[in-house]
Amino acid sequence: MAPRADCIADSAGGLTFDVSDHGSPAPAHLVLVNRAGGEEVRLPLTPVGDGRLRASLPISVSLAEGRWDTYAQVAGDEPVRLVPGVNDLRSLVDRAPGGSRGYVAVRIPYATKHGNLTVRSWLRTPHAEAGELRITGGELTVRGRVYGTQFSAKAHVEIRSRAATGPVLRGELTVDNAEFALRIGYDELSEGYWDLWLRPGGDDGPAVRVARLLDDIADKKPIFAYPAAQVTVSGRELSAEPYYTADNDLAVVVSAVA
């Protein structure tokens, strides 16, 4: 039977793994493997009694953005894939990082479709966190907060077509210290996919993807559903709908009404 791992998240964004102990006296490690590049992070598993071994992944240990598969490895043996036990992720709900690090790091453990334990990691410098989405008629308003940067007088919103030669449009932006509200008129968009970006420092500053990361949901696309709105653009009836991508970035899809 594959070893199970219970996960506890702390308010800083770190994770603690409690793995079932199969009684081997040899040193053991929890191994996280980046699914994209094969990079490994090894954490010592130490006995804590009650048949458990514990490993800690503090926020100070860097994990590149991506999906990290988890294994337990006893010295001299092959790594064994972990399966999820109980995940206590309550501290991730409505988490508000202080921003003193200059970046936002997020780690969310989840069960894969094959029943294994994987950690989804994000590392954003800076970051624009999407909060409330409001759809009124043919307009979308997104409220949120930035981390690791400040707004200047030249700050604006970019709505980027995902098409290779598509346009980059500007939406309305209002700011209040680190908080923002952006507005998009659906009738300004053509058919296709549109990604939302902030330019807090104007054209000369970094482009910051608008995303929703600071909660306990690893994959928001199948969970968060928003109503579509119909608009008329150049005599065509189009349907526009916001959604979260596979990376939990905020986007809008515009399609023709059948």
Side-chain angles (χ1 to χ4, degrees):
M1 179 181 294
R4 303 180 68 85
D6 298 333
C7 294
I8 302 174
D10 61 45
S11 58
L15 293 175
T16 298
F17 301 85
D18 281 351
V19 180
S20 52
D21 186 357
H22 288 276
S24 173
H29 287 82
L30 185 140
V31 184
L32 297 109
V33 180
N34 190 326
R35 194 181 296 175
E39 177 188 359
E40 291 188 4
V41 172
R42 301 177 65 85
L43 305 170
L45 282 164
T46 58
V48 293
D50 196 24
R52 294 177 297 158
L53 301 172
R54 178 167 293 171
S56 295
L57 177 65
I59 202 66
S60 57
V61 175
S62 179
L63 282 188
E65 188 158 322
R67 299 179 189 269
W68 293 74
D69 297 329
T70 63
Y71 299 80
Q73 184 177 27
V74 176
D77 294 341
E78 290 295 318
V80 178
R81 197 75 163 87
L82 291 172
V83 298
V86 177
N87 287 341
D88 184 352
L89 308 181
R90 289 173 292 179
S91 64
L92 297 182
V93 179
D94 297 325
R95 177 177 165 232
S100 60
R101 298 178 182 272
Y103 62 87
V104 168
V106 177
R107 292 88 179 266
I108 305 178
Y110 71 97
T112 70
K113 64 181 179 180
H114 300 297
N116 297 314
L117 178 64
T118 292
V119 175
R120 183 67 170 94
S121 174
W122 288 267
L123 190 62
R124 299 286 172 98
T125 310
H127 171 56
E129 177 72 6
E132 177 191 32
L133 272 62
R134 179 174 297 177
I135 302 167
T136 305
E139 295 183 352
L140 169 66
T141 300
V142 181
R143 298 187 180 277
R145 183 179 182 89
V146 295
Y147 296 89
T149 190
Q150 296 179 338
F151 288 110
S152 75
K154 298 180 180 179
H156 61 270
V157 180
E158 286 186 349
I159 312 160
R160 300 183 182 181
S161 171
R162 208 175 292 171
T165 58
V168 177
L169 308 178
R170 289 197 180 190
E172 294 182 10
L173 177 68
T174 57
V175 301
D176 181 7
N177 294 319
E179 297 184 352
F180 67 86
L182 65 86
R183 189 201 70 83
I184 299 170
Y186 287 150
D187 58 0
E188 301 171 12
L189 308 180
S190 57
E191 193 171 347
Y193 293 89
W194 298 84
D195 296 324
L196 278 59
W197 296 76
L198 292 184
R199 301 298 295 264
D203 291 328
D204 297 329
V208 184
R209 191 74 166 88
V210 180
R212 182 163 181 166
L213 308 179
L214 298 176
D215 58 25
D216 61 341
I217 302 174
D219 292 296
K220 296 178 177 60
K221 189 173 183 179
I223 303 297
F224 287 79
Y226 298 97
Q230 292 192 11
V231 293
T232 302
V233 179
S234 302
R236 297 185 65 208
E237 294 295 322
L238 299 178
S239 175
E241 181 180 353
Y243 73 99
Y244 286 103
T245 70
D247 291 324
N248 290 352
D249 297 323
L250 186 59
V252 174
V253 57
V254 181
S255 55
V257 176

